Every structure is written in structure tokens, then in C-alpha cells.
Amino acid sequence: MKDRFSELPALCPAFNIRAASRIITQLFDEILKPSGLQVTQFTVLVGIHIFDSPSISKLAKGLVMDRTTITRNLKPLEKEGFIKMESGDDKRTTFVKLTPKGKSAIDKTLPYWEKARSVVSKEFGAKQLEELLKDLADVREIKN
């Protein structure tokens, strides 16, 4: 008789999404390597650009991360000079601004990101990728 846990990986959305995420992250990181950024760093920098110098809380919410995790991810980007953190008027709010070096880094990384996305599209199938992205957008709505 099979152990009842042996079927869990195939049935568990969390397991499968996290496993797929690790595979995609590894692929993107490998292709982005010449840019000097990891895909997680690129995502955060792009988020800062899209949200136009957001507060840390707004950035965390927009990237679906908790505040502690986003703060931890911002420190190396600040150390590298890609971002600048500035206190708000009440000192309790911190805003994140992309520096010219940060803007240059995302511009330099974008072609590598496009290549990685193209590889995923080719390997997975363009139609399947489009459907997957729609499904994942629906999944993100579960918490909202």
C-alpha cells in the first residue's frame, strides 16, 4: 500500500508552483548572468520603475512580497547604487527611487530577460505560456 504522502506532490498547488518557480528562476538567472543581475533583482528594479519611486509598502504589495522580504532584497541594490532610499515627510514612510545606474542596469538586462522569456516560450509553447500567465494572474487574485 502506498504511503498517503506519496501522492501529495502531484496534488499540491504550492509544491508544483514553487517547483516550477525554481526552475524558471534558475533558467532566467543563467541567461541574465552576463547582465550582473538576478531575475529577482531585475523584478524589484522594474517594480520600482513601474510604480514610480514607491514607498516600501506599496512596492511590497505590488510585487506580492512581505515588507521584511522586500526590505532585505533592497539592501544589496542600494549598496550597488541601483536605488536610493528616502524618508517621507513623517519619517515612518520610506520611498525607493531608481538611480541612473539602476535605470541603466534594467536597460542592460532587458535583452537578456527577453531572451529568457523567448526560451521559456519556445520550450513550453507560446500558447501554453500565454494561458499559464492568464491562469497565474487569476491565482494572484485569490488573496486580493
Side-chain angles (χ1 to χ4, degrees), residues 4-136:
R4 73 180 206 165
F5 294 106
S6 64
E7 294 178 8
L8 287 182
L11 300 173
C12 179
F15 174 86
N16 284 284
I17 289 170
R18 291 179 64 87
S21 176
R22 286 189 292 273
I23 290 166
I24 295 294
T25 297
Q26 290 167 6
L27 184 147
F28 269 77
D29 281 348
E30 185 62 33
I31 294 173
L32 267 59
K33 195 177 280 186
S35 77
L37 290 179
Q38 295 176 321
V39 72
T40 51
Q41 295 171 314
F42 179 70
T43 301
V44 170
L45 291 174
V46 168
I48 294 166
H49 179 71
I50 289 170
F51 297 123
D52 194 25
S53 304
S55 67
I56 291 177
S57 295
K58 181 178 179 180
L59 181 62
K61 184 175 181 178
L63 295 177
V64 195
M65 299 172 82
D66 63 64
R67 202 173 192 289
T68 305
T69 302
I70 195 69
T71 300
R72 189 173 48 246
N73 284 313
L74 292 172
K75 290 190 184 308
L77 297 173
E78 183 179 34
K79 186 178 177 185
E80 288 292 325
F82 295 137
I83 61 168
K84 184 176 181 185
M85 310 254 259
E86 296 180 355
S87 293
D89 293 336
D90 68 2
K91 306 294 184 214
R92 291 179 296 173
T93 304
T94 303
F95 293 92
V96 187
K97 298 186 180 283
L98 201 58
T99 65
K101 184 177 179 182
K103 177 68 168 94
S104 177
I106 62 174
D107 289 341
K108 176 184 175 184
T109 305
L110 184 59
Y112 296 104
W113 178 89
E114 289 170 333
K115 179 181 179 187
R117 188 186 187 291
S118 176
V119 168
V120 171
S121 181
K122 182 180 177 197
E123 292 292 322
F124 191 60
K127 181 85 171 133
Q128 290 92 326
L129 180 58
E130 183 181 326
E131 290 172 9
L132 175 63
L133 292 172
K134 286 178 186 174
D135 290 342
L136 292 172

